[in-house]
Amino acid sequence: MNILILQASPRANGNTAWMAEEYKKTAEAAGHQVTLVNVSRKKIAGCLACEYCHNKGNGACIQKDDMQELYPLMAEAEVLVLAAPIYYFTLNAQIQAPIQRMYCVNAPAKVKKMALLMSSYSPGVYTGATAEYHDICNYWHAEDSGIVTAKIDEQKTDETKAKIQAIVSNL
């Protein structure tokens, strides 16, 4: 399968980045084609709600930023993995911008499955992000292949690695 991982942690060696890399290694070992993009290093603006995409743009966003690199990757992805830290009870802004900019195409054409990887320093802060993820899966008609969370004492552990391996096996 063609897998796209959008990793949104600004910390290059942080916990979310580690989770995304573990997913990538496991999926590649299983024979999948994987592209990992660190969206926190991209310049992606939020949606302007200008409706250009649904009028004159014929599905193309008026903004010409680094999201232009993601649109073709999203169009070919069969599996989309969102990897983001939790900032103040929700997915961080770096992952929100690319998610919301998909408005212009409505839904990625080939995405059939999704997964969510989240890290936080606190327990019990995942409810809002999990609800948003499930709403996206439902709207895009994508199967939820799994969610892995890792609070401070679960980060970069063999147990978390095993959880990631388990959701990859759901593909």
Side-chain angles (χ1 to χ4, degrees):
M1 297 187 96
N2 186 350
I3 300 171
L4 175 61
I5 303 171
L6 300 182
Q7 193 283 106
S9 176
R11 295 180 179 170
N13 297 312
N15 301 306
T16 302
W18 177 83
M19 294 172 79
E21 285 293 335
E22 288 301 319
Y23 190 103
K24 182 180 189 284
K25 286 190 276 190
T26 302
E28 287 176 337
H32 301 288
Q33 178 183 341
V34 183
T35 303
L36 191 154
V37 178
N38 184 344
V39 296
S40 74
R41 301 286 184 247
K42 302 290 183 187
K43 299 293 183 203
I44 301 173
C47 178
L48 298 173
C50 66
E51 291 298 323
Y52 175 86
C53 60
H54 294 135
N55 295 306
K56 294 178 186 176
N58 295 315
C61 183
I62 195 166
Q63 299 183 82
K64 303 305 177 213
D65 57 13
D66 289 346
M67 191 64 193
Q68 301 307 309
E69 299 170 28
L70 294 185
Y71 288 128
L73 297 173
M74 293 286 283
E76 293 303 316
E78 297 167 285
V79 178
L80 176 63
V81 180
L82 304 176
I86 298 300
Y87 289 177
Y88 213 71
F89 303 97
T90 193
L91 297 171
N92 70 345
Q94 291 88 336
I95 198 76
Q96 292 290 354
I99 290 170
Q100 293 170 6
R101 288 282 295 283
M102 289 305 293
Y103 175 69
C104 68
V105 296
N106 193 40
K110 295 181 181 179
V111 170
K112 300 297 178 226
K113 294 185 178 198
M114 292 181 65
L116 179 61
L117 310 174
M118 297 179 285
S119 66
S120 175
Y121 281 98
S122 305
V125 295
Y126 302 108
T127 306
T130 301
E132 177 183 356
Y133 165 75
H134 282 130
D135 286 345
I136 293 167
C137 286
N138 289 336
Y139 186 73
W140 288 354
H141 305 288
E143 178 186 332
D144 170 16
S145 66
I147 298 172
V148 177
T149 62
K151 62 183 179 16
I152 188 68
D153 60 339
E154 300 167 326
Q155 294 171 354
K156 298 183 181 178
T157 64
D158 289 340
E159 291 80 14
T160 298
K161 186 176 182 176
K163 291 177 184 177
I164 293 167
Q165 291 169 339
I167 65 169
V168 172
S169 70
N170 287 334
L171 298 179

